[in-house]
Amino acid sequence: IQLRALRGGAPVALTLNPVPACRGRVEVRLANDFDAVSDGVMVQVSVRLLEDYPADFVAAVMAHEYAHLLLDHAARMRAQGVDFGILSGFGRNVRYFRQTETEADILSVAVLVNAGYPADLPVRFWNAFGPEHADGAVTLRTYPAWRDRVATMAHEAARIGRDPVLPVVPPILSARERPLDGDWRTLLVRARR
C-alpha cells in the first residue's frame, strides 16, 4: 500500500506491506475474575489476569484463546448443537467442550513457538495458575483436569522440540476441517499421579 503523508511539514512517501494476520479481535473485560474466552470472533481477557500475571503468562492464555479461533471451535460446536448456556457443563456437551479445550491446549504451544516464545511457556503458566484457580466444580466438568492439560502441553512441547523449523504447523491444525466427534480422551496425555 502506497501512502503519501506529511511529516514535520515535509512530504514523505511510505510503503506498507501487509502481512497475513489472525481475523480475531481482542477485548479487555473489566472484571475481577481470571477468565479468558473466545466466541469465534472475539477473544476476551479479564483485566485481573493482565494485572496479576506477567506478560509472558498472558501470552500463554492468549495463545490458547487464539487457538480456539484458528480451530474454528465456535462453528464446529454449533454444528454439533452444543448448548453454550447454563447447561453447557452437562450431558453430551461436556465431551465437546473437553475436546475443544484439549485441541486448543495442543495448538497453543505451536502458536507461542511461532511467536518467539519458549514451548514450555503454557506448562509454566498452568503450574503457576492451576493449583489456585483451576479446580472448581464447573471447571472440572467442561475442562480436563489441569494437571492432565499440563501433561498434554508438555508432550506437545517435547514433540515440537527445542529448536524447531518455523513456522511450526502441528498436525492438530488439520482438525479444523473435521466435525467434532467428542473424543477428547485420545488427545489428552494423563499426568502421573
Side-chain angles (χ1 to χ4, degrees):
I1 300 171
Q2 300 294 322
L3 297 176
R4 293 185 187 154
L6 292 175
R7 182 177 288 157
V12 293
L14 302 169
T15 302
L16 300 178
N17 296 311
V19 296
C22 185
R23 66 185 183 274
R25 298 187 330 249
V26 176
E27 185 174 274
V28 176
R29 287 180 46 252
L30 299 177
N32 195 29
D33 58 32
F34 292 98
D35 285 344
V37 297
S38 170
D39 66 3
V41 176
M42 175 78 68
V43 170
Q44 292 183 328
V45 61
S46 72
V47 70
R48 179 122 184 248
L49 193 64
L50 297 172
E51 292 172 342
D52 287 13
Y53 286 92
D56 60 340
F57 280 6
V58 173
V61 172
M62 297 301 292
H64 173 88
E65 297 305 330
Y66 265 101
H68 283 302
L69 294 177
L70 294 169
L71 290 165
D72 206 15
H73 281 154
R76 290 169 63 209
M77 289 178 82
R78 281 191 301 275
Q80 292 299 332
V82 172
D83 186 337
F84 289 92
I86 194 164
L87 299 176
S88 64
F90 299 95
R92 67 185 282 283
N93 293 320
V94 171
R95 68 178 191 245
Y96 295 119
F97 275 103
R98 287 185 178 189
Q99 181 182 359
T100 60
E101 293 305 327
T102 305
E103 286 180 359
D105 284 342
I106 293 167
L107 182 57
S108 72
V109 178
V111 169
L112 287 164
V113 169
N114 288 334
Y117 290 95
D120 72 334
L121 179 58
V123 171
R124 289 187 287 123
F125 166 75
W126 276 102
N127 280 328
F129 182 83
E132 189 173 341
H133 301 290
D135 284 331
V138 173
T139 298
L140 292 177
R141 295 210 38 91
T142 57
Y143 295 88
W146 72 268
R147 286 178 182 85
D148 292 340
R149 294 177 73 187
V150 168
T152 302
M153 289 180 279
H155 181 266
E156 183 64 7
R159 189 195 68 74
I160 290 172
R162 292 181 143 284
D163 193 21
V165 175
L166 298 179
V168 173
V169 181
I172 196 70
L173 196 56
S174 67
R176 68 181 169 188
E177 305 301 325
R178 298 187 300 269
L180 293 173
D181 60 11
D183 185 11
W184 57 278
R185 287 181 176 90
T186 59
L187 299 171
L188 196 70
V189 176
R190 298 287 181 177
R192 292 184 182 169
R193 305 282 184 216

